[in-house]
Amino acid sequence: MKNPESPADNLLTAEDDALSLSCDAWRRVMEGLGEPRFRADQICQWIYGHKVFDYHEMSSLSKSLRERLCGTVLMTLPILIQDRRSRDGTRKYLWQMADGSRVESVLLDHGGHRTACISSQVGCPLACTFCATGTLGFARNLTPGEIVGQFLMMERRVLDAGLGPGINNVVFMGMGEPLLNERNVFESIRALNHPKMRNLGARHITISTSGIVPGIEDLADFEIPLRLSISLHAPNDELRSRLMPINRKYPLSRLVEALRLYRRRTGERITIEYAMIDGVNDAPQMAYEMAALLDGLDPYVNLIPYNPIPMRPDLRRSPEGRVKAFCAALSELHIEFEVRKERGADIMAACGQLAAVKAQGPVR
Ligand code: SAH
Ligand code: SF4
């Protein structure tokens, strides 16, 4: 039972919010309102298919149902605070949630093929030394509806601008660590993937994690075979713990064990993300260390140009020569890799640069 006197109970809960409801939850709501179950599918079609968020505009529903819905299920959408466009066409959106918290999302356009990069938390508790989000600290987890809301709002803008059929991929590479908000992230993925909801294919959904071992183990059993990316950034515990404090809790031996389990259970290939930082993790010898560490996993390695952040002026991007030498070592080791093209750096929308101006916690 909710206590209206308690500030915690007055915050939005996942259950209150239309975008946080699963298809089954919508069916239960319809049952409760004495409506047939297929009305739930119609509502999901309006929201996820047509991007119509105003019950009054859902013209296939009776007027009385539309009115009752307004009083029953709150429709809360992220409010757009800022929209910036990069020279390369990448867009960065700053959203404000109902409690005043702010997060960013990025929309990448690869010649009409679009990827939404969305946030899972307000800030991030993991404080990786090279990441702007990590310097903010942590305010709270996003609800499933706040996660799905970023995607739907961006897709509606694409449709409204007449830019084609919508968004093709979603990556959890915005602010926050998705596997520390596992329940809500999984719920948002169910909504994006459900055939009666957004119907986005599992192969078009990627979770990126800093290496939360229990979360990776859960992903191995998750019913939706999405793609998994691991932010490795260092091939040994000494360096990785310095760059990513979470490595002290889940050292490489445990991480690799979880990756082997994931690979065995799902048969899926894992992507390794590795930001090239000059003189820190880019020696060719580290490519050899990485190969030994990941032996038998057949990973796909994504080399990311390190994006400078104002808080760490001492960290610089690896120069071309060092990247080439690293790539040569990977080739020799028969490890498949690509050097990711940098996107959106001029508007601080590239990997690791999201900081939501200053991420805010709830307004009290
Ligand atoms: N918390 C998750 C997902 C968000 S970060 C994770 O860490 O995986 C998305 C990607 O950007 C991660 O691979 C992260 O390690 C990387 N990244 C963070 N800071 C970066 C920077 N300054 N330059 C390049 N990549 C960075
Ligand atoms: Fe958090 Fe990922 Fe940034 Fe690390 S890299 S601080 S886990 S968002």
Side-chain angles (χ1 to χ4, degrees):
M1 204 47 199
K2 277 192 169 192
N3 171 10
E5 298 304 313
S6 151
D9 282 351
N10 271 331
L11 289 178
L12 273 185
T13 65
E15 289 77 14
D16 289 327
D17 181 13
L19 296 186
S20 285
L21 295 188
S22 65
C23 199
D24 280 346
W26 272 114
R27 287 174 184 163
R28 285 193 296 275
V29 171
M30 286 303 112
E31 258 165 28
L33 292 174
E35 293 282 338
R37 281 161 64 98
F38 73 84
R39 293 269 177 247
D41 299 356
Q42 286 181 318
I43 295 171
C44 290
Q45 187 53 32
W46 280 112
I47 297 174
Y48 292 88
H50 303 303
K51 262 58 71 177
V52 166
F53 307 121
D54 182 344
Y55 294 124
H56 293 295
E57 290 175 24
M58 300 184 177
S59 53
S60 58
L61 310 180
S62 70
K63 239 182 160 162
S64 112
L65 175 57
R66 290 185 238 170
E67 258 146 40
R68 277 179 295 153
L69 276 171
C70 292
T72 318
V73 187
L74 205 65
M75 176 72 75
T76 324
L77 301 165
I79 298 167
L80 183 65
I81 301 293
Q82 195 180 50
D83 168 5
R84 299 187 67 191
R85 190 168 193 276
S86 152
R87 280 191 292 275
D88 62 28
T90 302
R91 282 182 177 274
K92 182 167 82 165
Y93 299 97
L94 174 64
W95 307 108
Q96 182 160 308
M97 302 304 173
D99 69 347
S101 299
R102 291 180 171 191
V103 299
E104 290 176 327
S105 326
V106 177
L107 186 63
L108 299 130
D109 189 333
H110 320 269
H113 197 85
R114 292 188 181 80
T115 297
C117 173
I118 58 178
S119 294
S120 55
Q121 297 184 312
V122 184
C124 180
L126 294 186
C128 300
T129 53
F130 47 78
C131 173
T133 309
T135 63
L136 295 171
F138 172 68
R140 67 171 175 87
N141 283 331
L142 293 176
T143 66
E146 289 168 334
I147 298 171
V148 165
Q150 298 167 60
F151 179 93
L152 293 177
M153 292 296 277
M154 284 194 281
E155 189 158 59
R156 183 159 91 175
R157 294 178 72 80
V158 169
L159 298 177
D160 285 352
L163 295 174
I167 297 175
N168 312 84
N169 299 291
V170 61
V171 295
F172 285 81
M173 294 188 185
M175 299 168 67
E177 168 49 56
L179 294 183
L180 288 182
N181 183 17
E182 193 181 303
R183 211 181 69 160
N184 294 350
V185 165
F186 283 14
E187 204 49 37
S188 70
I189 291 171
R190 289 188 184 103
L192 291 171
N193 176 250
H194 195 289
K196 299 276 185 200
M197 299 175 95
R198 179 50 184 77
N199 198 20
L200 189 67
R203 320 300 306 149
H204 298 269
I205 303 171
T206 300
I207 282 192
S208 171
T209 175
S210 58
I212 306 299
V213 165
I216 296 169
E217 290 166 353
D218 290 343
L219 264 183
D221 293 326
F222 189 45
E223 70 270 20
I224 300 170
L226 43 75
R227 293 180 185 271
L228 176 62
S229 276
I230 303 295
S231 298
L232 188 69
H233 305 312
N236 60 61
D237 280 322
E238 194 274 319
L239 177 58
R240 194 163 192 270
S241 295
R242 257 196 295 135
L243 295 176
M244 306 176 72
I246 189 65
N247 192 68
R248 299 200 185 100
K249 185 159 183 195
Y250 302 117
L252 286 170
S253 55
R254 285 199 62 196
L255 175 58
V256 170
E257 202 183 311
L259 295 184
R260 290 193 197 291
L261 171 92
Y262 178 87
R263 184 91 170 87
R264 253 196 332 273
R265 290 243 172 104
T266 65
E268 297 291 338
R269 201 169 186 202
I270 295 156
T271 297
I272 299 293
E273 290 161 281
Y274 201 93
M276 303 286 288
I277 313 176
D278 188 19
V280 174
N281 63 356
D282 60 353
Q285 170 247 333
M286 293 199 184
Y288 287 90
E289 266 184 87
M290 187 186 345
L293 178 75
L294 304 175
D295 186 36
L297 269 173
D298 186 29
Y300 184 81
V301 175
N302 235 322
L303 297 176
I304 311 171
Y306 170 72
N307 294 305
I309 57 168
M311 314 77 175
R312 289 302 301 261
D314 53 316
L315 300 179
R316 284 175 305 274
R317 178 176 298 183
S318 301
E320 209 181 310
R322 288 184 73 86
V323 176
K324 276 200 173 138
F326 198 87
C327 291
L330 289 178
S331 297
E332 198 176 304
L333 290 156
H334 304 291
I335 292 188
E336 212 182 321
F337 68 91
E338 72 174 305
V339 182
R340 197 191 283 171
K341 227 177 105 198
E342 177 191 82
R343 305 292 305 262
D346 55 325
I347 53 165
M348 291 291 283
C351 299
Q353 293 186 313
L354 301 188
V357 185
K358 265 255 160 280
Q360 297 174 350
V363 174
R364 297 201 185 272

